[in-house]
Amino acid sequence: MALIWVFLLIADLLGLRDGGWTFRANVLGRTAALLLLGCFALALVAPTFADRFSQPLVRLGSLLSLRSEQSGRAASVAASALLGLAIVLLLAHCAVPIHHLAAACSRLNGPG
């Protein structure tokens, strides 16, 4: 359930507000994505760069896995919300336009 609420909250905050910050965030996000894509391309052709590039992510994954195994308790609401945020960021490129379409149709047709 937390996944749904986080998804809707982020989609509303990013999609339905007006302002220049959304354009700047879009440009910044696209630039960061291109830089990251370039790093991934370089990692495919340079194994030493791939090792250095992936080490922080591997360490983070190992740390999270170790903490999860050591705690032995069920997932918290914060963990579910964080997972929801990660999924939102992963799926936003296809789900936000659908959300915009539904919001635009409801605004045009009114509540009924």
Side-chain angles (χ1 to χ4, degrees), residues 37-97:
L37 186 63
C39 287
F40 284 134
L42 186 59
L44 286 173
V45 295
T48 55
F49 178 76
D51 286 339
R52 283 192 213 140
F53 183 66
S54 64
Q55 277 179 356
L57 297 174
V58 170
R59 267 191 251 124
L60 178 64
S62 296
L63 179 67
L64 291 174
S65 179
L66 183 64
R67 282 189 183 173
S68 174
E69 289 173 0
Q70 286 177 348
S71 70
R73 55 185 175 162
S76 66
V77 173
S80 297
L82 185 62
L83 178 61
L85 178 63
I87 292 174
V88 165
L89 294 175
L90 181 66
L91 298 177
H93 66 280
C94 57
V96 170

